[in-house]
Amino acid sequence: QDRDKETRVLVYCWRGGERSLSLAHTLSRVGFTVGLVPGGYKRYRAGVLDFLRTMDGFRYHLIAGKTGCAKGKMLQHLTAQGAQVLDLEVMAQHRGSVLGEDPDSSYTQPSQKLFDTRMWEQARLFDRTRPIFVEGESSMIGKVQIPKNTWAGMRAGTVTLLEVPMASRVDWIRSGYKHFETTDVPRLVSKLQVLIQKVGRKKVEEWEVMVAEARWDDFVEDILVNHYDSAYADAAKRSGRDDANAEFLMLPDTEDATYAAAAAELISKYDVHKPPTVRDIAMGG
């Protein structure tokens, strides 16, 4: 009753039977623009999964690097310059670590099905003769899992390892986690307890003192050195990523101009077309 006739309505049910068809007809008769999902949600979900099973047919270029190297920022600049990018952390509403919950999403994540759909919605528009730039993630991002064929493609991808000075990493981390220095200090302290089993109670207590005294630069650098850097190295080994043949990209800071120039360089080097294969043609690439 509170919708005007310009509202576009999508109607579907589980299997796309007579009920959805009847409702779509009624809404159309009273003036709404109506879309109908043939076969209902069941067929729609099957189509999403069928597409995701082909994701290992893409070429991937991974943007990797230690926590605080602003990998997500690099993806943003690549997107702005026309590259094909999957920002999996944005889709997952999580930054992929124990402190990675997104306050802008009320610390919630999408369901696995919604995460899958977000990937499909973007990747279905991509050109299979060009690479996809993606952050070098673990197979799990918070509570959602990267679909196995996408993960397989990523493991086979080429890699650029970003390196920036520690001071820049600290500044970048602090700029992205301001809530932990203001409104969410108790939440930060609570999250640190999870790390006792990894770094020991004494180290966590040292961090708690730094937090209580608002020594934020000291805290961030210490947690990077004593937890995140080693955790990153372990995750890279488990992933099977080809870091041995990675390109190292040393950047002096995380400024926009620096990352825009680096993104242009990556596009020039890696965003090249290749002739479509028989499989690409069969999948509509």
Side-chain angles (χ1 to χ4, degrees):
Q1 295 179 352
D2 60 348
R3 302 291 184 181
D4 60 43
K5 295 300 174 62
E6 300 301 315
T7 301
R8 300 176 65 187
V9 181
L10 179 66
V11 178
Y12 65 93
C13 58
W14 178 242
R15 291 183 295 182
E18 293 297 323
R19 288 176 297 176
S20 56
L21 184 61
S22 175
L23 178 59
H25 178 70
T26 299
L27 291 172
S28 179
R29 289 286 300 272
V30 299
F32 288 106
T33 300
V34 181
L36 184 67
V37 178
Y41 177 79
K42 186 176 182 180
R43 184 183 294 177
Y44 168 78
R45 174 66 178 168
V48 170
L49 293 177
D50 285 345
F51 180 87
L52 292 179
R53 293 186 188 101
T54 73
M55 288 289 287
D56 56 348
F58 284 100
R59 288 180 294 141
Y60 293 85
H61 187 78
L62 277 60
I63 305 300
K66 296 175 181 177
T67 301
C69 288
K71 300 180 288 293
K73 183 172 188 170
M74 184 63 75
L75 295 184
Q76 292 171 6
H77 280 282
L78 287 164
T79 300
Q81 295 182 40
Q84 298 187 148
V85 173
L86 282 180
D87 196 333
L88 299 177
E89 290 189 357
V90 170
M91 295 176 183
Q93 296 168 203
H94 198 283
R95 297 172 187 172
S97 71
V98 68
L99 302 179
E101 295 173 319
D102 184 2
D104 292 335
S105 303
S106 301
Y107 300 106
T108 61
Q109 285 193 258
S111 66
Q112 183 67 47
K113 288 181 179 179
L114 179 54
F115 178 66
D116 293 346
T117 299
R118 288 173 174 175
M119 288 189 59
W120 164 80
E121 188 172 27
Q122 190 160 357
R124 69 193 177 97
L125 304 175
F126 285 168
D127 180 347
R128 289 182 180 269
T129 68
R130 296 174 58 200
I132 295 175
F133 290 90
V134 63
E135 184 172 335
E137 303 281 2
S138 297
S139 60
M140 297 290 295
I141 308 176
K143 296 179 180 179
V144 298
Q145 184 170 21
I146 298 173
K148 65 178 183 179
N149 293 74
T150 305
W151 178 243
M154 289 170 60
R155 292 183 67 183
T158 50
V159 183
T160 291
L161 279 170
L162 300 184
E163 288 277 359
V164 299
M166 176 60 77
S168 294
R169 293 173 64 196
V170 170
D171 288 345
W172 180 253
I173 291 290
R174 289 192 60 188
S175 70
Y177 290 83
K178 290 180 179 178
H179 57 289
F180 281 141
E181 299 182 16
T182 53
T183 58
D184 286 341
V185 174
R187 190 180 189 92
L188 169 62
V189 174
S190 175
K191 289 289 184 182
L192 291 178
Q193 308 313 303
V194 178
L195 299 179
I196 290 176
Q197 60 181 337
K198 295 182 179 296
V199 301
R201 184 173 299 277
K202 181 180 179 182
K203 176 54 68 176
V204 170
E205 289 175 349
E206 291 175 6
W207 291 337
E208 290 173 345
V209 171
M210 295 177 193
V211 169
E213 296 176 351
R215 291 160 46 205
W216 295 113
D217 283 353
D218 293 341
F219 166 69
V220 173
E221 181 170 348
D222 202 274
I223 199 171
L224 287 174
V225 171
N226 289 291
H227 170 62
Y228 277 104
D229 288 357
S230 58
Y232 171 82
D234 291 342
K237 290 178 182 177
R238 290 195 303 271
S239 73
R241 196 175 63 215
D242 188 18
D243 282 4
N245 294 310
E247 172 196 29
F248 283 84
L249 183 55
M250 309 290 291
L251 300 175
D253 52 53
T254 59
E255 296 297 321
D256 282 337
T258 300
Y259 273 60
E265 181 181 335
L266 289 170
I267 289 171
S268 175
K269 186 170 184 178
Y270 294 105
D271 194 1
V272 294
H273 290 261
K274 69 169 185 176
T277 64
V278 172
R279 184 185 183 194
D280 291 336
I281 295 170
M283 293 188 293

